[in-house]
Amino acid sequence: MILPIVQYGHPALRQKGAEIHEVTDAVRQLVKDMIETMHAANGLGLAAQQVGKALQLTVLDARKSDRPSQLFLGVMEMPLDSMMPLVLLNPKITRLEGGEIGQEGCLSFPKIYLDISRAHTIHVAAIGLDGRSLQFVATGLLSRAIQHEMDHLQGVLFIDKVAPAALEPLESDLQKLKIQTLAELKKKKRKKPRG
Ligand code: ZN
C-alpha cells in the first residue's frame, strides 16, 4: 500500500524515532508499504517519520541513480542489486571518513534541493528485517542517502544542515509549504468522525 508522505511542517518530521526491539508482522508490513511508497515517489530513501511513524527505521534503494554508490560487507564489494532495497532498523554510524558536498532533495520538501556536506564513507551497524545484525560500509550516494535518512530518524532535516544564508532564497517556499501542511492537518482533524 502506498502511504501518504508527510511534508515539511508536519510534527512527525521533528520526532526522534523509538528503537525497534522486535520485528513483528506490523513492522514487516510497514517496511513493505514504505518500500512501495519510496519506489512510487522515485525516492532514494524514506524514513519512518516521513510516513508519520516515529521509529528507528529507514528503507533505501540507490540502484536507479547514475551517481555512484558502493556497499561493502567486510572487504567484499556487493552488487547493489543483491542488497537493495536496503532496510535498516536502529541504524548507527560507527565511523565516518572523508567529506564532500553534494546535492540533496527530500520527499518531504518537493522541488527543494540543497548542497549538503556529508562524509564520503560511513561504517554502519544496524538490524536487518530478518532480525539479524548487519554491518557494512557505504560510499558515495548511498552513504549520503543513509546519512540523510538517519538524520530523519533523529528528527533532523536537511535544512538544518546548511548555513542560514543558503536558506534565505528558499524562505518563502518553505513558509508556504509549512502553512499548506498545517492547513491540511487541521482539515483532517476536522473531518475525523466523532465518538
Ligand atoms: Zn528526507
Side-chain angles (χ1 to χ4, degrees), residues 13 45-47 50 104-109 148-149 152 156-158:
L13 291 177
L46 190 69
Q50 292 179 282
E104 286 180 26
C106 179
L107 293 176
S108 296
F109 291 79
H148 177 111
E149 298 312 326
H152 275 300
V156 173
L157 301 170
F158 73 156

Side-chain angles (χ1 to χ4, degrees), residues 119-164:
H120 177 266
T121 301
I122 53 171
H123 295 236
V124 180
I127 306 289
L129 195 55
D130 58 4
R132 291 198 199 155
S133 77
L134 171 66
Q135 290 181 38
F136 64 92
V137 175
T139 76
L141 184 65
L142 178 62
S143 163
R144 174 172 295 279
I146 292 171
Q147 291 172 75
H148 177 111
E149 298 312 326
M150 284 184 62
D151 278 345
H152 275 300
L153 305 187
Q154 303 303 322
V156 173
L157 301 170
F158 73 156
I159 53 169
D160 305 336
K161 313 289 280 190
V162 296

Side-chain angles (χ1 to χ4, degrees), residues 71-108:
L71 192 156
F72 297 87
L73 290 178
V75 290
M76 192 150 71
E77 182 174 356
M78 304 299 290
L80 287 186
D81 268 328
S82 71
M83 301 297 292
M84 304 281 151
L86 186 62
V87 179
L88 303 177
L89 279 64
N90 310 336
K92 305 257 180 317
I93 293 176
T94 57
R95 204 162 129 195
L96 300 144
E97 288 164 17
E100 61 188 10
I101 292 170
Q103 198 183 58
E104 286 180 26
C106 179
L107 293 176
S108 296

Side-chain angles (χ1 to χ4, degrees), residues 2-15 30 33-34 37-38 41 45-55 105-111 148-149 152-153 155-158 174 177-182 184-185 188:
I2 294 174
L3 305 170
I5 297 175
V6 306
Q7 308 286 292
Y8 175 57
H10 195 291
L13 291 177
R14 287 302 187 185
Q15 283 169 11
L30 177 60
D33 290 343
M34 281 173 62
T37 303
M38 168 180 68
L46 190 69
Q49 277 77 352
Q50 292 179 282
V51 293
K53 307 267 184 201
L55 293 169
C106 179
L107 293 176
S108 296
F109 291 79
K111 294 183 204 132
H148 177 111
E149 298 312 326
H152 275 300
L153 305 187
V156 173
L157 301 170
F158 73 156
L174 287 171
L177 184 56
K178 198 176 201 173
I179 289 167
Q180 195 188 322
T181 301
L182 291 172
E184 269 164 31
L185 263 178
K188 254 182 223 151

